Amino acid sequence: MTVVKTQGLSKTFGDFKALDGVDIEVKEGEVFGFIGPNGAGKSTTLRVLLGILKASEGSAEIFGKDVWKDAVDIHKRVAYVPGDVNLWPNLTGGEVIDLFGRLRGGYDKARRDELISRFGLDPGKKCRTYSKGNRQKVALIAAFSTDADLYIFDEPTSGLDPLMERVFSEYVHEAKAQGKSILLSSHILSEVEKLCDRVAIIRKGRIIETGTLKEMRHLTGSLMFIETDKPIPDLAELRGVHRVQVFDGGWSFQVDADELDAVVRHLSAFGIKRMESRPPTLEDLFIRHYEETETGAGGGV
Amino acid sequence: MSQLFDHTWSLMRFILRRDRVRLPIWILSFVFVSAGIVLVFDNLYGDDIERQAIAETMENPAMVAMVGPNYGGADYTTGAMTAHEMLVMTAAIVALMNILLVSRHTRGDEEEGRLELVRALPVGQLSSLTAVLLVLTIVNTLLAVLTGVSMAALQVESVDLHGSLLFGAALGATGLFFAALTAVFAQLTQNARATTGLSIAALLVFYMIRAIGDVMSEALSLTSPLGWILRAKPFVENLWWPVMLSVGLAVALSLLALYLNSIRDHDSGFLPTRAGRTQAPATLRGPFGLAWRLQRTGLIAWAVALFILGISYGSVLGEIERFFEGIDLFQQLIVEQEGFSLIELFIPVLSSVMAILASIPAIMVMLKVKTEEKNGRMEHVIGRSVSRWRVAFSYWLLAALTAITMLFLTGSGLGLAGNAVLDEDLPLGTYIGASFVYLPAVLIMIGLALVFIGFLPSFASVIWLYLGLSFFVVYLGELLQLPDWVEKLTPYGHIPAIPLDEVNYGVLALMIAIAVLLSVAGAYGFRRRDLKT
Ligand SMILES: Nc1ncnc2c1ncn2[C@@H]1O[C@H](COP(=O)(O)OP(=O)(O)OP(=O)(O)O)[C@@H](O)[C@H]1O
Ligand SMILES: [Mg+2]
């Protein structure tokens, strides 16, 4: 079942087109990652989904309901943590967490206390005195102590230390195990890699790639390192070979999955001394997309 | 030692750069208003006889409480008139400017972490506060000199250079005093809001001490910086000791602020902050509870201040009564309004002024929606299952309740104190009614604020201009003899003067209907637009 679905979602601020036909789909029970460079439109998309911004064009639905018209209904089943958590300087963290729970229409008090101790937050301090990470914890605790069906996080770990990041991952896994859906945006690819089932890459307001990590890896192909007896003059010109670099006395490069066979055959003629290969990380994939769209050229997918 | 003050000069330049628009606007406004008033008075009242008539109307305790005693006496020249009618009010606004500037550059910067960046540079520990104080010394000196010179430059006979410079110096010295006082408060409190709040509270208290003192006891007046500065008597006796006193105390307070600054930690204050609750009280459960909680302290302060204002006005009613007895001019006035005592003539005038002041907290409550939105906190509320209608209505409700409470408090303060000093009591209901009848006007202002929030949030502060205009029209309208239709430009001008006028309930009902319509329209606008951050 589909939990979140946008079709041709666009958002303009004045003349500036922040979103330009975004299509994403989050299925029930999956963790969906949303990645892209600064200013790509991640936060804007999430804020449209929350009914904070009104879409200029296209449709966006959560649980099959319109995100703008039925916002109040939808929010009963959604927990959201914004990217910049701004709190009231003269309220304490504990007060804010309770307030958030009540504004949503219910939360689990015992779980709230458990989360507070797991995240190591001092709930008696005024929000004015909290660091960025602590403000984020307040919002995360409020989110996880509610029994939502969909969790939306905008760069949830950007202010957390590695230990807290781990606590966050545990709660995400737990929510997933309970069949809940999670939509999170991030810059931290290793995190997305660890947590997410499916990923969408957004750039300049457009989704440029979406799918499971496995599919994306397949499309991106493997990363190879090769050392040969004879030099390989035409390596960079081979079909399906990208990002050729001289490295440690050999070459490192990326090979598209469907050209792998041909490339390896060709290279064997040069006397292979050493050959290593590893699956691409999300980072490789991301960088490749980035370079392609940046230069406007490069081999197609 | 010099280590403490390293780079003060660069920090001063930085402050001047950041405020390169703000500061000239503030200074020039004072210069233009002061010089402008001299021209207005000079043109409006052609001869001594006209001015003398004004002097007599200004001689009553209500006006004395408002602006201070007339030192010109029988010789009410344009200069004496300007000093009498403008000095205290202008000085109070100069003080306000200083409070806002100092708070912004001390606690404000500290709170937002900008000061931490500065401290990390090779900058002396006290450089930052010293720079702020020095900049404000420059600002107030410039303000004093420019005001003085431009007033004198108008070549109005009684407005000579000596008096003009003293007038300017009185403004600058008061400004400096409050700048230094705010700098001290910035060390005591822990955040910019508290600093500004405490400083403005001090300003109000000083104003009230002066008001009561000027009517009842000179000695009391001399304990207030606004009271002693009046004793400079520019254009009449031209005394410089009040200016010296203010400047001297400003220096002492500045040194105290620097000392306190040197012994406290970054981001801490001397006044204790309570250990916070770990759980929210039951009242903090929806947008209304939140709106109340966020503004509680401010609203209580406003309630106390407005009640005291009512009492202050009320307590001079007895003096008014005694004062007017036996003055022919006013006997005639009573004949015109048959059957009403002098006090009853004054009640609606006082009520209108108090109603406009009572509107300030109500409008502030409504505009809080915009502040919350701008600071990225509205997102938390809207992002949960709370509709925008409910948010708008919650703030509207609190604003309306604020208006009701404030009007009730000003009216009953006036009545309680008035009846205590008057020979013949009036029913308390008359006082409260006179105040309360302004509710439809305040509701229209709240509705307008909501319309701005819904449709033009970035222009919402225009509502303050409109309120200022309303004050000008309603309060000064009679002094400046503006035509009747001008008064009708503001909702306050449509309110009947109780107990003089017949109350037309149709008009009041219509005003309430307009207020409701505006509010609904504003909420609708808020419902259909993006949240801004
Ligand atoms: N209210 C607004 N008015 C005008 N432009 C806006 C507004 N909000 C966002 N933008 C612009 O829209 C674009 C997308 O912004 P968005 O915040 O969605 O990026 P993002 O992907 O979340 O970036 P980051 O990784 O830095 O958080 C940016 O260029 C931003 O400047
Ligand atoms: Mg973002």
Side-chain angles (χ1 to χ4, degrees):
Chain A
M1 211 192 86
T2 305
V3 177
V4 180
K5 188 175 173 69
T6 71
Q7 275 180 313
L9 188 66
S10 299
K11 176 73 198 172
T12 41
F13 295 111
D15 298 335
F16 178 71
K17 204 150 195 177
L19 298 182
D20 187 7
V22 169
D23 300 319
I24 55 171
E25 203 176 326
V26 181
K27 302 205 181 75
E28 188 171 348
E30 79 176 353
V31 183
F32 190 92
F34 203 33
I35 59 175
N38 291 127
K42 302 181 292 295
S43 302
T44 305
T45 309
L46 299 186
R47 300 178 87 223
V48 169
L49 289 177
L50 260 297
I52 292 162
L53 301 178
K54 189 174 186 181
S56 313
E57 272 168 68
S59 73
E61 293 183 344
I62 294 182
F63 310 127
K65 292 177 186 159
D66 185 280
V67 294
W68 181 258
K69 289 202 206 86
D70 303 318
V72 177
D73 263 359
I74 293 172
H75 295 173
K76 289 187 180 128
R77 298 168 60 194
V78 171
Y80 165 60
V81 174
D84 274 323
V85 181
N86 296 302
L87 301 174
W88 298 273
N90 46 347
L91 262 56
T92 65
E95 285 178 315
V96 171
I97 294 170
D98 288 343
L99 172 72
F100 282 179
R102 290 168 184 173
L103 286 176
R104 192 184 156 275
Y107 65 114
D108 183 341
K109 242 183 140 163
R111 200 169 149 77
R112 161 202 191 266
D113 295 337
E114 177 209 309
L115 278 153
I116 285 177
S117 73
R118 282 300 306 279
F119 275 107
L121 181 82
D122 178 352
K125 279 178 131 181
K126 300 267 183 194
C127 294
R128 163 180 313 118
T129 66
Y130 283 146
S131 62
K132 174 171 163 54
N134 278 332
R135 290 201 304 270
Q136 212 154 19
K137 285 183 196 170
V138 169
L140 287 171
I141 292 168
F144 282 122
S145 60
T146 58
D147 182 34
D149 294 320
L150 169 67
Y151 294 86
I152 298 181
F153 299 118
D154 194 357
E155 294 184 35
T157 58
S158 59
L160 299 183
D161 63 43
L163 223 61
M164 289 305 135
E165 242 177 87
R166 235 181 32 219
V167 177
F168 170 75
S169 311
E170 282 170 33
Y171 280 102
V172 170
H173 284 305
E174 187 189 304
K176 191 188 163 190
Q178 292 168 352
K180 314 220 158 143
S181 320
I182 290 139
L183 167 56
L184 65 87
S185 85
S186 181
H187 284 296
I188 306 166
L189 300 161
S190 59
E191 171 182 283
V192 176
E193 232 168 0
K194 259 189 299 188
L195 292 174
C196 299
D197 306 309
R198 289 200 311 134
V199 174
I201 301 179
I202 185 171
R203 199 175 133 70
K204 295 194 173 154
R206 285 168 172 281
I207 300 288
I208 49 177
E209 183 132 25
T210 175
T212 64
L213 284 176
K214 200 171 155 210
E215 285 165 2
M216 284 203 191
R217 291 221 169 97
H218 180 76
L219 288 173
T220 307
S222 318
L223 276 134
M224 310 265 301
F225 170 77
I226 190 161
E227 215 181 308
T228 49
D229 290 333
K230 286 174 269 178
I232 318 169
D234 57 347
L235 181 59
E237 276 97 71
L238 289 177
R239 262 171 70 92
V241 170
H242 314 276
R243 294 175 57 205
V244 178
Q245 281 170 332
V246 178
F247 180 76
D248 196 16
W251 287 274
S252 82
F253 54 93
Q254 204 169 324
V255 194
D256 289 351
D258 38 5
E259 298 292 337
L260 186 61
D261 189 47
V263 171
V264 173
R265 270 168 210 276
H266 178 83
L267 292 181
S268 61
F270 296 88
I272 297 175
K273 286 208 303 209
R274 188 150 75 95
M275 185 161 139
E276 286 162 19
S277 138
R278 68 172 169 85
T281 60
L282 200 49
E283 191 163 352
D284 298 317
L285 195 145
F286 189 73
I287 288 171
R288 201 188 112 204
H289 267 293
Y290 194 82
E291 283 173 347
E292 267 173 25
T293 23
E294 201 66 350
T295 55
V301 175
Chain B
M1 184 64 197
S2 78
Q3 285 271 310
L4 288 175
F5 298 101
D6 268 3
H7 281 87
T8 303
W9 173 234
S10 344
L11 289 177
M12 282 171 67
R13 282 214 315 252
F14 183 57
I15 295 173
L16 289 171
R17 226 188 99 71
R18 269 181 66 202
D19 281 351
R20 64 187 179 280
V21 178
R22 192 181 306 250
L23 290 176
I25 288 183
W26 270 114
I27 294 176
L28 289 181
S29 321
F30 287 114
V31 173
F32 283 131
V33 167
S34 304
I37 286 287
V38 170
L39 274 187
V40 168
F41 283 168
D42 192 45
N43 289 326
L44 213 56
Y45 310 109
D47 51 39
D48 292 351
I49 301 165
E50 265 180 58
R51 276 198 297 271
Q52 203 49 49
I54 296 292
E56 264 165 39
T57 67
M58 297 293 288
E59 208 68 56
N60 70 75
M63 286 317 291
V64 172
M66 193 96 71
V67 300
N70 167 24
Y71 291 111
D75 194 13
Y76 205 54
T77 60
T78 301
M81 189 171 188
T82 307
H84 178 209
E85 294 186 21
M86 297 307 294
L87 184 55
V88 158
M89 286 296 179
T90 318
I93 300 173
V94 172
L96 185 67
M97 166 190 87
N98 277 276
I99 289 170
L100 296 176
L101 287 172
V102 171
S103 171
R104 171 179 142 86
H105 285 291
T106 53
R107 273 292 164 187
D109 277 2
E110 190 162 339
E111 204 171 302
E112 284 168 29
R114 275 195 291 271
L115 201 56
E116 206 169 335
L117 289 176
V118 169
R119 281 263 177 100
L121 302 172
V123 156
Q125 199 196 354
L126 294 178
S127 307
S128 186
L129 184 58
T130 313
V132 175
L133 289 169
L134 287 179
V135 165
L136 280 150
T137 309
I138 296 174
V139 167
N140 285 303
T141 309
L142 266 179
L143 188 148
V145 173
L146 289 179
T147 304
V149 170
S150 59
M151 282 169 85
L154 295 171
Q155 303 285 339
V156 172
E157 197 197 331
S158 58
V159 184
D160 58 351
L161 184 62
H162 187 186
S164 299
L165 284 178
L166 179 59
F167 185 93
L171 297 183
T174 308
L176 214 52
F177 175 87
F178 279 95
L181 187 68
T182 310
V184 171
F185 287 158
Q187 313 310 313
L188 300 181
T189 57
Q190 232 206 19
N191 58 78
R193 251 175 61 112
T195 303
T196 312
L198 195 59
S199 309
I200 290 181
L203 175 61
L204 285 178
V205 168
F206 281 136
Y207 179 81
M208 280 169 196
I209 290 177
R210 184 214 52 80
I212 297 170
D214 279 348
V215 174
M216 296 176 183
S217 135
E218 170 103 10
L220 182 62
S221 249
L222 286 174
T223 60
S224 158
L226 294 174
W228 75 63
I229 205 70
L230 270 184
R231 273 64 189 174
K233 308 180 188 176
F235 307 111
V236 180
E237 289 183 41
N238 289 339
L239 303 174
W240 282 86
W241 66 261
V243 173
M244 298 304 158
L245 180 60
S246 292
V247 173
L249 284 173
V251 171
L253 285 170
S254 300
L255 292 176
L256 177 64
L258 285 169
Y259 172 70
L260 292 175
N261 187 254
S262 70
I263 59 169
R264 76 175 173 90
D265 286 337
H266 187 73
D267 254 342
S268 69
F270 285 99
L271 297 179
T273 42
R274 272 175 292 150
R277 281 182 232 261
T278 56
Q279 301 202 341
T283 47
L284 185 60
R285 54 184 328 106
F288 182 83
L290 179 63
W292 161 245
R293 171 62 193 277
L294 295 176
Q295 303 176 89
R296 189 176 55 193
T297 321
L299 286 178
I300 292 174
W302 269 101
V304 172
L306 284 172
F307 187 61
I308 294 177
L309 183 76
I311 289 180
S312 318
Y313 278 155
S315 60
V316 298
L317 284 180
E319 309 272 334
I320 296 179
E321 195 176 40
R322 265 182 291 290
F323 178 81
F324 286 127
E325 276 162 10
I327 295 186
D328 283 353
L329 180 69
F330 287 91
Q331 301 294 351
Q332 287 165 11
L333 242 162
I334 305 168
V335 176
E336 272 175 40
Q337 300 277 351
E338 234 167 302
F340 291 108
S341 72
L342 263 168
I343 298 305
E344 284 171 302
L345 289 182
F346 262 95
I347 289 175
V349 177
L350 296 174
S351 299
S352 66
V353 171
M354 293 194 300
I356 291 179
L357 290 175
S359 309
I360 297 176
I363 295 173
M364 277 167 63
V365 168
M366 196 68 248
L367 289 183
K368 181 79 174 163
V369 171
K370 204 198 83 181
T371 322
E372 286 292 286
E373 183 181 351
K374 206 182 81 197
N375 291 334
R377 299 183 213 121
M378 191 55 85
E379 200 165 326
H380 298 300
V381 179
I382 300 291
R384 294 190 162 75
S385 35
V386 176
S387 72
R388 298 202 192 184
W389 286 108
R390 193 173 150 207
V391 169
F393 178 70
S394 301
Y395 281 84
W396 180 89
L397 184 63
L398 186 61
L401 290 176
T402 302
I404 291 171
T405 314
M406 300 298 166
L407 289 174
F408 179 79
L409 285 175
T410 51
S412 46
L414 185 72
L416 290 174
N419 279 350
V421 297
L422 285 177
D423 300 336
E424 267 174 72
D425 284 10
L426 290 171
L428 202 55
T430 305
Y431 295 101
I432 296 177
S435 209
F436 215 68
V437 73
Y438 278 93
L439 184 62
V442 187
L443 289 180
I444 287 187
M445 294 304 276
I446 296 172
L448 269 177
L450 187 46
V451 166
F452 273 112
I453 291 168
F455 294 95
L456 287 169
S458 26
F459 292 92
S461 32
V462 171
I463 193 83
W464 295 122
L465 267 183
Y466 189 46
L467 189 74
L469 179 86
S470 300
F471 181 77
F472 186 74
V473 163
V474 168
Y475 168 61
L476 295 179
E478 309 209 349
L479 270 185
L480 301 182
Q481 293 167 330
L482 299 171
D484 264 0
W485 62 265
V486 176
E487 206 185 35
K488 301 293 179 204
L489 289 178
T490 116
Y492 301 91
H494 293 267
I495 298 293
I498 287 183
L500 308 181
D501 296 351
E502 198 74 43
V503 178
N504 182 342
Y505 289 98
V507 171
L508 295 182
L510 185 68
M511 289 180 76
I512 291 182
I514 292 173
V516 169
L517 216 71
L518 287 171
S519 307
V520 172
Y524 170 74
F526 183 58
R527 167 67 184 98
R528 53 180 281 284
R529 69 169 172 83
D530 285 351
L531 275 197
K532 309 255 193 305
T533 34

